[in-house]
Amino acid sequence: MSVHVHGQCEASVLDGVLFFPVTPFTSEDSVDLPILSEHVRRGVAAGAGGVFVACGTGEFHALEPREYADIVRTAVAAAAGRVPVFAGAGGSLPLARQFARAAAEAGADGLLLMPHYLVQAPPAGLVAYVTQVTAATELPVIVYQRGGARFDVASALDVARLPRVVGFKDGLGDLDQLSRIVTAVRAETAASGKDFQFFNGMPTAECTVPAYRGIGVELYSSAVFCFAPEISLAFHRAVTAGDDKAVQRLLAGFFHPLVALRERTPGYAVALVKAAVRQSGLDVGGVRPPLTDPTPGHLAELARIVEAGRAVVAAEATR
């Protein structure tokens, strides 16, 4: 994937563990930019392959444009050109274009185009939406299929043909449909010579990594990297090395229990991650409504799950 050079980072493809930082808030509910800078700096130092700021884990849905611009600018400065920085964009068409322009002005290397709001849209409408957003920016764009943004093979091909669209991220989990999209798009982009990448964007994506890899989708979002990069990296090493037994031990000992806790309350895919970052020693504050922070009992369970995950990693290191 050709990455736009905006005075920051130049890279041909995204690779490795992709880091989706949380957005820290102060007790007065403003964005805590110094804490965000430290969060991004730590993630890059830990070995992230790319930073995706103000996306799902970063509560894009809860940000206003001025906050967003400050967040992207802060993340770009903290990454310091060591890895690409992609920023979320989306929502209503006028706002999506505004976010896209703001991300470019703040120095981002690319965009993750999040789903539009509320309405169910036909494939032709999705193609028109992506076309108009990408026309507002020179940045490369990864299109995120999730919620009401559901592409069929024909519309996925249409957006893949757009000059600035360089990737497709799936958060639906319909592997039958996705396999057909991957096969069709890869055939066309291979013929044209266009660099194009696919991403697993399911919540706690590690749980579905083996299945997605089975249809040729190897890149994935890692929210766990926010608070336990050693667990995230251990899983990535195991899965890329084909160490299926280590993958299963990490899934059983950490990721599956985390998902079981996540499923108890809507919004915990973000709230638990943010709570775990706080438990790791970085005061990123709570989530904004309509999300809610975990209960004390769930926080205690979360701490036990993370401790168990670190124990699995330590045991793997001695094998």
Side-chain angles (χ1 to χ4, degrees):
M1 174 174 65
S2 297
V3 173
H4 175 81
V5 183
H6 198 70
Q8 304 300 328
C9 182
E10 181 177 6
S12 58
V13 294
L14 284 165
D15 195 14
V17 176
L18 305 180
F19 170 36
F20 285 67
V22 302
T23 296
F25 297 123
T26 68
S27 57
E28 290 77 31
D29 195 39
S30 61
V31 176
D32 195 327
L33 296 175
I35 293 293
L36 174 65
S37 179
E38 178 65 11
H39 185 36
V40 172
R41 187 196 65 78
R42 290 184 186 185
V44 173
V51 176
F52 284 70
V53 69
C55 295
T57 306
E59 296 180 78
F60 170 78
H61 67 277
L63 303 175
E64 56 92 9
R66 285 175 296 180
E67 292 177 324
Y68 172 89
D70 289 341
I71 288 165
V72 178
R73 192 175 298 109
T74 298
V76 167
R82 290 169 289 178
V83 297
V85 176
F86 277 63
S92 69
L93 181 57
L95 275 176
R97 290 188 293 227
Q98 182 178 343
F99 284 125
R101 289 189 289 265
E105 291 170 1
D109 298 295
L111 297 172
L112 176 62
L113 184 54
M114 312 283 282
H116 55 276
Y117 289 151
L118 191 60
V119 295
Q120 295 295 315
L126 296 176
V127 174
Y129 177 83
V130 176
T131 300
Q132 293 192 42
V133 175
T134 59
T137 180
E138 295 183 359
L139 294 178
V141 175
I142 298 166
V143 175
Y144 197 177
Q145 169 173 258
R146 188 169 180 174
R150 294 170 176 259
F151 294 81
D152 57 17
V153 173
S155 57
L157 280 167
D158 284 341
V159 298
R161 293 179 185 125
L162 294 170
R164 296 184 184 91
V165 175
V166 296
F168 190 87
K169 182 178 181 182
D170 178 68
L172 296 179
D174 183 346
L175 295 185
D176 175 42
Q177 175 80 336
L178 182 62
S179 177
R180 285 178 272 149
I181 289 173
V182 169
T183 300
V185 170
R186 282 197 171 141
E188 178 152 322
T189 55
S192 67
K194 181 179 184 179
D195 290 327
F196 199 92
Q197 293 184 290
F198 287 90
F199 304 79
N200 172 357
M202 295 294 288
T204 319
E206 284 88 351
C207 289
T208 53
V209 161
Y212 273 78
R213 286 176 69 88
I215 61 169
V217 179
E218 297 185 357
L219 289 165
Y220 59 93
S221 312
S222 181
V224 169
F225 190 87
C226 288
F227 60 87
E230 68 277 26
I231 301 175
S232 181
L233 291 167
F235 181 88
H236 187 262
R237 286 192 300 269
V239 77
T240 54
D243 189 345
D244 294 338
K245 290 184 178 178
V247 168
Q248 291 304 315
R249 285 190 289 263
L250 285 160
L251 289 173
F254 172 72
F255 289 102
H256 288 167
L258 181 64
V259 168
L261 178 57
R262 184 198 77 202
E263 291 180 344
R264 295 188 194 176
T265 301
Y268 265 18
V270 174
L272 284 178
V273 173
K274 206 164 194 182
V277 175
R278 292 196 303 274
Q279 290 179 342
S280 72
L282 193 63
D283 186 7
V284 293
V287 292
R288 278 179 171 170
L291 302 183
T292 58
D293 290 310
T295 65
H298 289 167
L299 288 173
E301 188 169 349
L302 175 63
R304 289 193 294 270
I305 290 169
V306 175
E307 182 179 0
R310 292 189 170 121
V312 174
V313 171
E316 290 300 320
T318 64
R319 292 184 189 278

mmCIF file of all heavy atoms in Angstrom, residues 54-90:
data_model
loop_
_atom_site.group_PDB
_atom_site.id
_atom_site.type_symbol
_atom_site.label_atom_id
_atom_site.label_comp_id
_atom_site.label_asym_id
_atom_site.label_seq_id
_atom_site.Cartn_x
_atom_site.Cartn_y
_atom_site.Cartn_z
ATOM 1 N N ALA A 54 -8.030 8.058 16.874
ATOM 2 C CA ALA A 54 -9.406 8.571 16.746
ATOM 3 C C ALA A 54 -10.249 7.643 15.887
ATOM 4 O O ALA A 54 -11.020 8.082 15.025
ATOM 5 C CB ALA A 54 -9.418 9.988 16.178
ATOM 6 N N CYS A 55 -10.122 6.341 16.138
ATOM 7 C CA CYS A 55 -10.934 5.339 15.451
ATOM 8 C C CYS A 55 -11.932 4.758 16.451
ATOM 9 O O CYS A 55 -12.319 5.436 17.390
ATOM 10 C CB CYS A 55 -10.038 4.276 14.825
ATOM 11 S SG CYS A 55 -8.979 4.939 13.498
ATOM 12 N N GLY A 56 -12.332 3.509 16.285
ATOM 13 C CA GLY A 56 -13.342 2.941 17.168
ATOM 14 C C GLY A 56 -12.906 2.902 18.617
ATOM 15 O O GLY A 56 -13.616 3.368 19.520
ATOM 16 N N THR A 57 -11.731 2.336 18.878
ATOM 17 C CA THR A 57 -11.206 2.281 20.243
ATOM 18 C C THR A 57 -10.943 3.678 20.781
ATOM 19 O O THR A 57 -11.012 3.907 21.984
ATOM 20 C CB THR A 57 -9.922 1.440 20.288
ATOM 21 O OG1 THR A 57 -10.184 0.161 19.703
ATOM 22 C CG2 THR A 57 -9.427 1.236 21.706
ATOM 23 N N GLY A 58 -10.659 4.602 19.895
ATOM 24 C CA GLY A 58 -10.400 5.984 20.291
ATOM 25 C C GLY A 58 -11.645 6.845 20.383
ATOM 26 O O GLY A 58 -11.551 8.075 20.459
ATOM 27 N N GLU A 59 -12.835 6.220 20.398
ATOM 28 C CA GLU A 59 -14.113 6.917 20.585
ATOM 29 C C GLU A 59 -14.341 8.014 19.541
ATOM 30 O O GLU A 59 -14.787 9.125 19.861
ATOM 31 C CB GLU A 59 -14.227 7.484 22.002
ATOM 32 C CG GLU A 59 -14.234 6.407 23.085
ATOM 33 C CD GLU A 59 -14.339 6.967 24.492
ATOM 34 O OE1 GLU A 59 -15.457 7.341 24.911
ATOM 35 O OE2 GLU A 59 -13.290 7.033 25.173
ATOM 36 N N PHE A 60 -14.074 7.681 18.290
ATOM 37 C CA PHE A 60 -14.328 8.647 17.209
ATOM 38 C C PHE A 60 -15.751 9.193 17.275
ATOM 39 O O PHE A 60 -15.982 10.388 17.046
ATOM 40 C CB PHE A 60 -14.081 7.991 15.843
ATOM 41 C CG PHE A 60 -14.539 8.822 14.685
ATOM 42 C CD1 PHE A 60 -13.777 9.891 14.247
ATOM 43 C CD2 PHE A 60 -15.747 8.556 14.041
ATOM 44 C CE1 PHE A 60 -14.205 10.687 13.183
ATOM 45 C CE2 PHE A 60 -16.179 9.341 12.978
ATOM 46 C CZ PHE A 60 -15.408 10.410 12.549
ATOM 47 N N HIS A 61 -16.691 8.328 17.613
ATOM 48 C CA HIS A 61 -18.103 8.736 17.655
ATOM 49 C C HIS A 61 -18.359 9.854 18.654
ATOM 50 O O HIS A 61 -19.385 10.543 18.573
ATOM 51 C CB HIS A 61 -18.971 7.529 18.038
ATOM 52 C CG HIS A 61 -18.738 7.075 19.452
ATOM 53 N ND1 HIS A 61 -17.705 6.238 19.811
ATOM 54 C CD2 HIS A 61 -19.388 7.377 20.600
ATOM 55 C CE1 HIS A 61 -17.743 6.032 21.109
ATOM 56 N NE2 HIS A 61 -18.745 6.717 21.622
ATOM 57 N N ALA A 62 -17.456 10.045 19.627
ATOM 58 C CA ALA A 62 -17.687 10.985 20.719
ATOM 59 C C ALA A 62 -16.866 12.269 20.582
ATOM 60 O O ALA A 62 -16.848 13.080 21.508
ATOM 61 C CB ALA A 62 -17.353 10.313 22.054
ATOM 62 N N LEU A 63 -16.203 12.458 19.447
ATOM 63 C CA LEU A 63 -15.301 13.595 19.290
ATOM 64 C C LEU A 63 -15.908 14.664 18.388
ATOM 65 O O LEU A 63 -16.647 14.371 17.460
ATOM 66 C CB LEU A 63 -13.974 13.131 18.677
ATOM 67 C CG LEU A 63 -13.235 12.033 19.436
ATOM 68 C CD1 LEU A 63 -12.006 11.588 18.647
ATOM 69 C CD2 LEU A 63 -12.854 12.497 20.835
ATOM 70 N N GLU A 64 -15.561 15.920 18.676
ATOM 71 C CA GLU A 64 -15.954 17.006 17.793
ATOM 72 C C GLU A 64 -14.727 17.425 16.977
ATOM 73 O O GLU A 64 -13.593 17.081 17.322
ATOM 74 C CB GLU A 64 -16.578 18.160 18.583
ATOM 75 C CG GLU A 64 -15.737 18.731 19.690
ATOM 76 C CD GLU A 64 -14.889 19.898 19.211
ATOM 77 O OE1 GLU A 64 -15.087 20.364 18.074
ATOM 78 O OE2 GLU A 64 -14.017 20.324 19.971
ATOM 79 N N PRO A 65 -14.928 18.134 15.869
ATOM 80 C CA PRO A 65 -13.831 18.360 14.930
ATOM 81 C C PRO A 65 -12.582 19.025 15.506
ATOM 82 O O PRO A 65 -11.466 18.672 15.135
ATOM 83 C CB PRO A 65 -14.479 19.229 13.837
ATOM 84 C CG PRO A 65 -15.906 18.779 13.821
ATOM 85 C CD PRO A 65 -16.232 18.547 15.274
ATOM 86 N N ARG A 66 -12.740 20.007 16.393
ATOM 87 C CA ARG A 66 -11.538 20.659 16.938
ATOM 88 C C ARG A 66 -10.736 19.704 17.805
ATOM 89 O O ARG A 66 -9.503 19.693 17.755
ATOM 90 C CB ARG A 66 -11.935 21.906 17.735
ATOM 91 C CG ARG A 66 -12.336 23.089 16.853
ATOM 92 C CD ARG A 66 -12.837 24.248 17.683
ATOM 93 N NE ARG A 66 -14.057 23.894 18.408
ATOM 94 C CZ ARG A 66 -14.726 24.705 19.223
ATOM 95 N NH1 ARG A 66 -14.265 25.930 19.429
ATOM 96 N NH2 ARG A 66 -15.829 24.324 19.812
ATOM 97 N N GLU A 67 -11.429 18.896 18.610
ATOM 98 C CA GLU A 67 -10.732 17.882 19.392
ATOM 99 C C GLU A 67 -10.009 16.906 18.477
ATOM 100 O O GLU A 67 -8.857 16.527 18.717
ATOM 101 C CB GLU A 67 -11.730 17.104 20.256
ATOM 102 C CG GLU A 67 -12.373 17.887 21.371
ATOM 103 C CD GLU A 67 -13.392 17.045 22.126
ATOM 104 O OE1 GLU A 67 -14.085 16.222 21.490
ATOM 105 O OE2 GLU A 67 -13.485 17.201 23.352
ATOM 106 N N TYR A 68 -10.711 16.487 17.444
ATOM 107 C CA TYR A 68 -10.168 15.528 16.499
ATOM 108 C C TYR A 68 -8.861 16.018 15.899
ATOM 109 O O TYR A 68 -7.863 15.283 15.839
ATOM 110 C CB TYR A 68 -11.207 15.269 15.416
ATOM 111 C CG TYR A 68 -10.734 14.442 14.249
ATOM 112 C CD1 TYR A 68 -10.840 13.053 14.266
ATOM 113 C CD2 TYR A 68 -10.208 15.052 13.108
ATOM 114 C CE1 TYR A 68 -10.424 12.296 13.176
ATOM 115 C CE2 TYR A 68 -9.798 14.309 12.020
ATOM 116 C CZ TYR A 68 -9.901 12.925 12.055
ATOM 117 O OH TYR A 68 -9.477 12.187 10.979
ATOM 118 N N ALA A 69 -8.835 17.254 15.431
ATOM 119 C CA ALA A 69 -7.625 17.804 14.820
ATOM 120 C C ALA A 69 -6.466 17.798 15.810
ATOM 121 O O ALA A 69 -5.326 17.447 15.457
ATOM 122 C CB ALA A 69 -7.894 19.216 14.307
ATOM 123 N N ASP A 70 -6.738 18.175 17.069
ATOM 124 C CA ASP A 70 -5.690 18.170 18.093
ATOM 125 C C ASP A 70 -5.186 16.758 18.363
ATOM 126 O O ASP A 70 -3.983 16.542 18.569
ATOM 127 C CB ASP A 70 -6.217 18.783 19.387
ATOM 128 C CG ASP A 70 -6.422 20.289 19.294
ATOM 129 O OD1 ASP A 70 -5.831 20.922 18.393
ATOM 130 O OD2 ASP A 70 -7.183 20.824 20.127
ATOM 131 N N ILE A 71 -6.109 15.799 18.364
ATOM 132 C CA ILE A 71 -5.740 14.402 18.617
ATOM 133 C C ILE A 71 -4.829 13.878 17.517
ATOM 134 O O ILE A 71 -3.783 13.258 17.787
ATOM 135 C CB ILE A 71 -7.017 13.541 18.744
ATOM 136 C CG1 ILE A 71 -7.738 13.838 20.053
ATOM 137 C CG2 ILE A 71 -6.691 12.054 18.640
ATOM 138 C CD1 ILE A 71 -9.164 13.328 20.098
ATOM 139 N N VAL A 72 -5.204 14.119 16.275
ATOM 140 C CA VAL A 72 -4.385 13.627 15.162
ATOM 141 C C VAL A 72 -3.022 14.295 15.173
ATOM 142 O O VAL A 72 -1.986 13.636 15.016
ATOM 143 C CB VAL A 72 -5.106 13.857 13.817
ATOM 144 C CG1 VAL A 72 -4.222 13.377 12.666
ATOM 145 C CG2 VAL A 72 -6.446 13.125 13.794
ATOM 146 N N ARG A 73 -2.999 15.593 15.373
ATOM 147 C CA ARG A 73 -1.730 16.320 15.395
ATOM 148 C C ARG A 73 -0.821 15.794 16.511
ATOM 149 O O ARG A 73 0.390 15.604 16.316
ATOM 150 C CB ARG A 73 -2.007 17.812 15.596
ATOM 151 C CG ARG A 73 -0.815 18.714 15.359
ATOM 152 C CD ARG A 73 -1.215 20.188 15.451
ATOM 153 N NE ARG A 73 -2.198 20.538 14.436
ATOM 154 C CZ ARG A 73 -3.472 20.812 14.680
ATOM 155 N NH1 ARG A 73 -3.949 20.767 15.932
ATOM 156 N NH2 ARG A 73 -4.300 21.120 13.714
ATOM 157 N N THR A 74 -1.399 15.517 17.665
ATOM 158 C CA THR A 74 -0.622 15.004 18.798
ATOM 159 C C THR A 74 -0.077 13.618 18.506
ATOM 160 O O THR A 74 1.091 13.311 18.807
ATOM 161 C CB THR A 74 -1.499 14.971 20.061
ATOM 162 O OG1 THR A 74 -1.913 16.309 20.368
ATOM 163 C CG2 THR A 74 -0.750 14.390 21.247
ATOM 164 N N ALA A 75 -0.889 12.762 17.916
ATOM 165 C CA ALA A 75 -0.443 11.409 17.598
ATOM 166 C C ALA A 75 0.675 11.418 16.563
ATOM 167 O O ALA A 75 1.645 10.657 16.658
ATOM 168 C CB ALA A 75 -1.618 10.573 17.103
ATOM 169 N N VAL A 76 0.535 12.269 15.555
ATOM 170 C CA VAL A 76 1.572 12.374 14.525
ATOM 171 C C VAL A 76 2.890 12.819 15.143
ATOM 172 O O VAL A 76 3.962 12.262 14.843
ATOM 173 C CB VAL A 76 1.118 13.349 13.415
ATOM 174 C CG1 VAL A 76 2.275 13.720 12.500
ATOM 175 C CG2 VAL A 76 -0.020 12.737 12.612
ATOM 176 N N ALA A 77 2.836 13.804 16.032
ATOM 177 C CA ALA A 77 4.058 14.278 16.677
ATOM 178 C C ALA A 77 4.679 13.196 17.549
ATOM 179 O O ALA A 77 5.905 13.014 17.576
ATOM 180 C CB ALA A 77 3.755 15.530 17.509
ATOM 181 N N ALA A 78 3.838 12.449 18.272
ATOM 182 C CA ALA A 78 4.361 11.407 19.157
ATOM 183 C C ALA A 78 4.956 10.245 18.373
ATOM 184 O O ALA A 78 5.959 9.646 18.789
ATOM 185 C CB ALA A 78 3.250 10.904 20.075
ATOM 186 N N ALA A 79 4.355 9.897 17.244
ATOM 187 C CA ALA A 79 4.902 8.811 16.417
ATOM 188 C C ALA A 79 6.203 9.227 15.762
ATOM 189 O O ALA A 79 7.062 8.370 15.473
ATOM 190 C CB ALA A 79 3.890 8.398 15.352
ATOM 191 N N ALA A 80 6.373 10.509 15.506
ATOM 192 C CA ALA A 80 7.633 11.081 15.029
ATOM 193 C C ALA A 80 8.164 10.403 13.770
ATOM 194 O O ALA A 80 9.370 10.232 13.612
ATOM 195 C CB ALA A 80 8.675 11.046 16.151
ATOM 196 N N GLY A 81 7.254 9.991 12.884
ATOM 197 C CA GLY A 81 7.670 9.425 11.620
ATOM 198 C C GLY A 81 8.169 8.000 11.673
ATOM 199 O O GLY A 81 8.607 7.453 10.653
ATOM 200 N N ARG A 82 8.093 7.366 12.857
ATOM 201 C CA ARG A 82 8.622 5.997 12.969
ATOM 202 C C ARG A 82 7.684 4.960 12.360
ATOM 203 O O ARG A 82 8.140 3.930 11.867
ATOM 204 C CB ARG A 82 8.894 5.674 14.444
ATOM 205 C CG ARG A 82 10.083 6.442 15.014
ATOM 206 C CD ARG A 82 10.170 6.307 16.518
ATOM 207 N NE ARG A 82 9.095 7.059 17.185
ATOM 208 C CZ ARG A 82 8.915 7.075 18.496
ATOM 209 N NH1 ARG A 82 9.690 6.339 19.280
ATOM 210 N NH2 ARG A 82 7.943 7.792 19.021
ATOM 211 N N VAL A 83 6.380 5.213 12.416
ATOM 212 C CA VAL A 83 5.383 4.335 11.799
ATOM 213 C C VAL A 83 4.291 5.203 11.211
ATOM 214 O O VAL A 83 4.108 6.360 11.617
ATOM 215 C CB VAL A 83 4.772 3.339 12.811
ATOM 216 C CG1 VAL A 83 5.821 2.383 13.375
ATOM 217 C CG2 VAL A 83 4.056 4.082 13.944
ATOM 218 N N PRO A 84 3.505 4.687 10.250
ATOM 219 C CA PRO A 84 2.408 5.480 9.701
ATOM 220 C C PRO A 84 1.332 5.759 10.743
ATOM 221 O O PRO A 84 1.067 4.925 11.614
ATOM 222 C CB PRO A 84 1.852 4.598 8.582
ATOM 223 C CG PRO A 84 2.918 3.610 8.282
ATOM 224 C CD PRO A 84 3.653 3.393 9.569
ATOM 225 N N VAL A 85 0.720 6.917 10.644
ATOM 226 C CA VAL A 85 -0.404 7.290 11.499
ATOM 227 C C VAL A 85 -1.637 7.469 10.622
ATOM 228 O O VAL A 85 -1.661 8.341 9.746
ATOM 229 C CB VAL A 85 -0.126 8.585 12.281
ATOM 230 C CG1 VAL A 85 -1.364 8.998 13.091
ATOM 231 C CG2 VAL A 85 1.079 8.408 13.202
ATOM 232 N N PHE A 86 -2.641 6.632 10.844
ATOM 233 C CA PHE A 86 -3.931 6.751 10.163
ATOM 234 C C PHE A 86 -4.940 7.330 11.154
ATOM 235 O O PHE A 86 -4.871 7.047 12.351
ATOM 236 C CB PHE A 86 -4.410 5.390 9.670
ATOM 237 C CG PHE A 86 -3.829 4.968 8.348
ATOM 238 C CD1 PHE A 86 -2.468 4.758 8.211
ATOM 239 C CD2 PHE A 86 -4.646 4.783 7.243
ATOM 240 C CE1 PHE A 86 -1.916 4.382 6.998
ATOM 241 C CE2 PHE A 86 -4.113 4.409 6.019
ATOM 242 C CZ PHE A 86 -2.744 4.207 5.895
ATOM 243 N N ALA A 87 -5.856 8.122 10.655
ATOM 244 C CA ALA A 87 -6.880 8.745 11.495
ATOM 245 C C ALA A 87 -8.257 8.306 11.048
ATOM 246 O O ALA A 87 -8.498 8.106 9.854
ATOM 247 C CB ALA A 87 -6.769 10.271 11.420
ATOM 248 N N GLY A 88 -9.164 8.169 11.990
ATOM 249 C CA GLY A 88 -10.534 7.845 11.658
ATOM 250 C C GLY A 88 -11.237 9.016 10.997
ATOM 251 O O GLY A 88 -10.896 10.179 11.231
ATOM 252 N N ALA A 89 -12.198 8.706 10.139
ATOM 253 C CA ALA A 89 -13.082 9.714 9.554
ATOM 254 C C ALA A 89 -14.413 9.019 9.287
ATOM 255 O O ALA A 89 -14.462 7.795 9.173
ATOM 256 C CB ALA A 89 -12.514 10.294 8.261
ATOM 257 N N GLY A 90 -15.481 9.773 9.168
ATOM 258 C CA GLY A 90 -16.769 9.134 8.931
ATOM 259 C C GLY A 90 -17.912 9.974 9.447
ATOM 260 O O GLY A 90 -17.769 11.163 9.683
#
